[in-house]
Amino acid sequence: MMTDMLRAVILGIVEGVTEFLPVSSTGHLLLAERFFNLGEGNFWKSFAILIQLGAILAILALYFVKLWRVALGMFTNADDRRFVIGVLVAFLPAVVIGLIAGKYIKEFLFNPWVVCFTLIVGGAVLLWVDQLDLKVYEDDATRFPLLMYFWIGVAQCLAMIPGVSRSGASIVAAMLLGADKRSAAEFSFFLAIPTMVGAFAYDFYKNRADFTSDNLSVIAVGFVVSFITAMIVVRAFLNFVTRRGFTFFAWWRVIVGTLGLIALAMGR
């Protein structure tokens, strides 16, 4: 019998590894819960959202100097102020779509069949984009044009469908709009901060009755594991995609999605 602590460790690792890779952390968590019985009931569904904050804190730690400079300069420096506005502009579409359709998306699309199909389709899209001879106009995630920030935010809304990948959607959109691979990935990190903090706050408030002193230690373990894992993965990811692109992650998606479909077809 798997203990709650062991479940928390495994789910924390899955979250930390997949959150900022273009492979869909939500999709991987749903499949892990389905095939390995790692989480059942309202608590574990909310747990998956709450430990995302650990991954977000990893981004804040890694980019603390840059983000602190922007925070101090946004009232006096036009470039810093425009970047903050750009992040908010990119975040806004997800807020609107989430309020309008979030309930229906969770009700009808949060199932392993959808996850597996979208993993495969998303992998094909990544392969396609990685092979395009795209012209690069932007190499600094804090200096994209405001309209570019907006369209990246619109693309991110596709990630409300589990398996699409929030980071994958924003990275692909940024590259198609002229960003290089590194700055596209970095902006997906920055955009994750308001997006995931918002999801955390909403889910915590909605399901606050499920959290008691008995399971705070379980949440803490998942949180810490997610934080440490994300710190390691983000550094390695940026260096990897700068040199080799996204082909590895595209095939990762295709293989996981295909294995998931096979397992579902066999009644798992």
Side-chain angles (χ1 to χ4, degrees):
M1 186 78 174
M2 187 178 294
T3 66
D4 285 348
M5 284 298 182
L6 182 54
R7 291 185 181 192
V9 170
I10 295 173
L11 291 175
I13 292 173
V14 172
E15 166 61 27
V17 168
T18 60
E19 182 58 54
F20 299 109
L21 304 184
V23 298
S24 177
S25 62
T26 301
H28 279 71
L29 287 169
L30 284 173
L31 293 180
E33 291 167 2
R34 168 64 182 254
F35 295 128
F36 302 104
N37 297 318
L38 291 178
E40 297 175 355
N42 290 333
F43 168 72
W44 288 104
K45 294 183 186 302
S46 298
F47 173 88
I49 299 292
L50 296 179
I51 61 173
Q52 289 181 344
L53 190 61
I56 282 298
L57 288 181
I59 291 298
L60 292 175
L62 288 169
Y63 286 94
F64 177 79
V65 173
K66 177 178 285 191
L67 294 173
W68 184 248
R69 177 187 58 76
V70 169
L72 292 177
M74 66 180 176
F75 298 108
T76 57
N77 184 284
D79 288 336
D80 291 337
R81 185 163 52 249
R82 193 175 66 83
F83 172 60
V84 173
I85 293 171
V87 172
L88 295 176
V89 165
F91 172 55
L92 185 60
V95 175
V96 174
I97 300 300
L99 291 174
I100 294 173
K103 176 183 176 182
Y104 303 101
I105 291 172
K106 283 193 172 183
E107 183 177 351
F108 296 108
L109 297 180
F110 270 58
N111 72 73
W113 286 98
V114 172
V115 169
C116 292
F117 278 115
T118 52
L119 282 173
I120 294 170
V121 172
V125 171
L126 268 182
L127 281 173
W128 169 66
V129 171
D130 210 34
Q131 293 174 8
L132 292 176
D133 184 19
L134 296 171
K135 292 185 178 179
V136 174
Y137 304 102
E138 307 290 340
D139 60 5
D140 185 344
T142 66
R143 299 292 183 266
F144 292 170
L146 284 179
L147 190 59
M148 183 172 173
Y149 286 128
F150 172 75
W151 286 118
I152 294 172
V154 171
Q156 181 187 234
C157 293
L158 292 172
M160 292 183 183
I161 303 171
V164 169
S165 172
R166 181 201 53 75
S167 61
S170 57
I171 287 171
V172 165
M175 289 175 60
L176 290 175
L177 291 168
D180 68 354
K181 293 172 182 176
R182 188 180 185 89
S183 64
E186 285 192 323
F187 185 68
S188 77
F189 302 160
F190 299 143
L191 182 54
I193 295 172
T195 302
M196 290 166 59
V197 168
F200 167 86
Y202 174 76
D203 203 84
F204 182 82
Y205 176 78
K206 185 176 66 172
N207 299 294
R208 60 193 183 281
D210 294 328
F211 304 111
T212 66
S213 57
D214 294 334
N215 52 40
L216 284 179
S217 59
V218 176
I219 296 172
V221 168
F223 182 92
V224 171
V225 172
S226 172
F227 172 81
I228 294 172
T229 309
M231 286 277 287
I232 297 169
V233 168
V234 166
R235 287 183 178 278
F237 173 60
L238 280 176
N239 293 329
F240 185 90
V241 298
T242 301
R243 298 193 311 269
R244 302 193 179 185
F246 298 96
T247 300
F248 172 80
F249 304 103
W251 284 112
W252 174 343
R253 294 177 61 104
V254 171
I255 291 170
V256 171
T258 301
L259 291 175
L261 287 178
I262 292 171
L264 290 170
M266 294 173 63
R268 290 292 305 272

